[in-house]
Amino acid sequence: MNRLELKTPLQLQSTLDQLHDGMARRLAAAPPGLCPVETALNYLILSRSQSCGKCVPCRVGLNTLAELLEQLLDGEGNADTVRLLEETATVIADTSDCAIGQEAANALLLSLKGFREDYLEHAATGHCLVGKKEPIPCRANCPADVDIPGYIALVRAGRPADAIRLIRKDNPFPVACAYICEHPCEGHCRRKMVDDAVNIRAIKRYAVDAAGDVPQPACAPATDKKIAVIGGGPCGLTAAYFLTLMGHKVTVFEQRKQLGGMMRYGIPSYRFPREVLDAEIASILSLGIEAKTNVAVGKDDLSLTNLRKQFDAVFLCIGAHTDKKLRIEGEDSKGVISAVKLLRGIGDGEHPDFTGKRVVVVGGGNVAMDCTRSAVRLGAEKVICAYRRRIEDMTALPEEVQGAIAEGAEVMQLTAPLKIEADDQGNVVAFWAKPQIIGEVGKDGRPAPKDADADPIRIPCDIVLVAIGQGIDSKDFENEGVPCGRGGWIKSDDATEIPGMPGVFAGGDVATGPATVIKAIAAGKVAAANIDKFLGFHHEIVKDIPMPDPTFADLQAHGRVNPAERPADERKHDFVCMEHAYTKQEAAEECGRCLRCDCFGFGSFKGGRKERW
């Protein structure tokens, strides 16, 4: 008999692995809106199947938890059932011998904490509070609630102009989002149950290119109501767009010399060409929106108080355009530049010369990647992005990080800022960093770094770009009585209205903190609807575009089609758009992967398509 044998996968284990993979894909594609009690039970049953049964908390406790959850689902539980669930799960989490019992109990405790009202609703009435109201994952995950399956179907049917018209019913920036949206809609795409998420953003890019100039819809009859929108970014222009369609007269006040907000002053043109942005803004303004640039509201005679007298409603959406400081020694040295200042200048066509310079970028988000890739294009000899966490913990999109590396930049992970060294003239000569070691997972779900037992690192450099976030400057409005919280955020409710100030609304980054373009667009849409209601109206945006009939899609696994990019060695020398649009064939292949969840599954009878808002 041999002492050892080579391990080969058995057919049984191979089949089990395929089942595990299928379960993982289904969990990844689970949409919001599912009953949290039922979801918790299913996860608990899955965890229980992995238990060895050695320790009592896991062997007996998980069965007890499952029985209590089934009582709630069967309408046989009460408030004591919920209390007992929590107490039992806490004991199991504290006393199980291994991670199987601990994590199963912790998952239930997390569900109880996040969905306590749902558990109590089951206990009181036997019904689910959520009610599976959002059965289409892509739409449920789009902040602006765009009809994604609808416009994909229109593109597939050869009707790209109608696709743009449908998108504009919820989002007046189909072109902008085709280039720069972070596509949260793809996060829970049900296509993941088969292979991979549909490339929704790339399909939108094909639609805008194929459709060309699509005329804007007609506006409703004039209402003689006037609204002031303070801020000409995606949030403000979205609110202005829908309010104008509703028949109101809108004036946009913008502090900078051009409209666009962070779409212009935070995103370089190699990602979003300026001529494309200008054309889309011009199309929006063509509805009759008046725009006043180089105007700082809150100063002198353009105070908020005066605007409230001149207009029937005011919408504050000034964005987050100030920089955050590192608060380390040497930060005031010559050559330390904030990301806000650099990208703002680039947005206005002012390109600093970094030829031969050594650049260190501090940060790990998309703005840090924009600075890193811009520095390469500005001629820097060497560019290093220093980040205090691991690369996999970066908040930047993975494709942005990979793109920066492909263009020659270096990402130095687990490197925390320590100080900036300057010469006798005050010029930056080096960036000092403290090595980090990864630690326990924090509340944000990411492992937190801590100081490593290692000597500080000296990185010679000429320029330090600080990209650790943006701040909000709302002092002028706070002085006029607008309630502001920590960090300058303006306090508003879910309807974007400011408590105690009738007719004054706030939304976007200034109300929620720095976020994405699509979230700003969603805030503008919400503000428009609620300002319209405040003014005594109930105008509706009707989605009256005929939809193509669904087909029975081929569910065979099919690779995701990704758009091509210009070669890294070519694109890194200019600010020309780096991504190619789909060809007609590529668009057809990718559209064909959509499962049409608006017509099948829950979408066939719940929430499939909203006809108006």
Side-chain angles (χ1 to χ4, degrees), residues 295-359:
V295 175
V297 175
K299 312 288 185 183
D300 304 324
D301 59 338
L302 267 180
S303 65
L304 176 62
T305 301
N306 287 337
L307 285 180
R308 291 184 70 188
K309 295 176 182 177
Q310 299 172 33
F311 292 86
D312 298 294
V314 178
F315 181 42
L316 301 175
C317 45
I318 59 174
H321 292 271
T322 62
D323 57 295
K324 288 189 175 180
K325 303 295 184 182
L326 289 169
R327 303 186 187 280
I328 59 174
E329 178 187 340
E331 190 170 12
D332 295 329
S333 303
K334 299 174 185 176
V336 179
I337 306 171
S338 73
V340 171
K341 182 179 180 180
L342 175 72
L343 296 175
R344 183 182 297 160
I346 292 174
D348 278 332
E350 301 166 2
H351 292 183
D353 186 6
F354 286 177
T355 302
K357 303 292 186 181
R358 298 164 298 176
V359 179

Side-chain angles (χ1 to χ4, degrees), residues 46 78 112 194 315 384 401 416 472 480 482 487-488 550 555 558 563 572:
L46 178 65
N78 52 41
L112 278 164
V194 182
F315 181 42
I384 294 174
V401 180
I472 298 166
E480 293 196 61
V482 176
L555 296 182
H558 188 299
K572 71 179 184 180

Side-chain angles (χ1 to χ4, degrees), residues 359-420:
V359 179
V360 171
V361 180
V362 185
N366 285 321
V367 173
M369 288 301 104
D370 286 337
C371 287
T372 300
R373 302 179 76 172
S374 293
V376 171
R377 287 162 170 77
L378 293 169
E381 176 185 304
K382 184 174 184 179
V383 182
I384 294 174
C385 179
Y387 183 53
R388 66 191 185 97
R389 298 178 189 261
R390 302 173 302 176
I391 290 178
E392 55 264 43
D393 300 321
M394 282 181 153
T395 56
L397 291 173
E399 55 263 35
E400 288 295 317
V401 180
Q402 294 161 9
I405 294 172
E407 291 165 4
E410 178 183 349
V411 178
M412 187 176 289
Q413 61 183 350
L414 294 172
T415 307
L418 186 61
K419 67 178 182 178
I420 295 172

Side-chain angles (χ1 to χ4, degrees), residues 31-106:
L34 296 180
C35 171
V37 181
E38 190 170 6
T39 301
L41 175 61
N42 290 332
Y43 180 77
L44 187 69
I45 292 171
L46 178 65
S47 300
R48 187 178 62 185
S49 69
Q50 299 173 313
S51 174
C52 68
K54 180 175 70 67
C55 70
V56 172
C58 194
R59 183 179 70 251
V60 178
L62 295 188
N63 280 325
T64 301
L65 292 178
E67 291 171 1
L68 292 170
L69 288 170
E70 286 172 346
Q71 288 178 24
L72 287 176
L73 289 170
D74 292 339
E76 300 172 355
N78 52 41
D80 286 338
T81 310
V82 178
R83 178 186 55 78
L84 188 58
L85 259 176
E86 190 165 25
E87 291 176 355
T88 306
T90 301
V91 171
I92 295 171
D94 292 340
T95 60
S96 290
D97 285 351
C98 75
I100 293 173
Q102 292 170 9
E103 288 306 305
N106 281 328

Side-chain angles (χ1 to χ4, degrees), residues 126 145 188 194 608:
D145 197 30
H188 291 276
V194 182

Side-chain angles (χ1 to χ4, degrees), residues 222-230 243 247-251 253 304-316 497 501-505 527-528 530-537:
T223 64
D224 295 327
K225 297 293 184 180
K226 298 189 300 180
I227 299 101
V229 173
I230 305 175
L243 287 167
H248 308 303
K249 179 60 180 175
V250 181
T251 302
F253 297 88
L304 176 62
T305 301
N306 287 337
L307 285 180
R308 291 184 70 188
K309 295 176 182 177
Q310 299 172 33
F311 292 86
D312 298 294
V314 178
F315 181 42
L316 301 175
E497 189 166 9
M501 299 190 77
V504 183
F505 297 74
N530 291 307
I531 291 172
D532 182 65
K533 180 181 178 182
F534 168 79
L535 295 174
F537 299 91

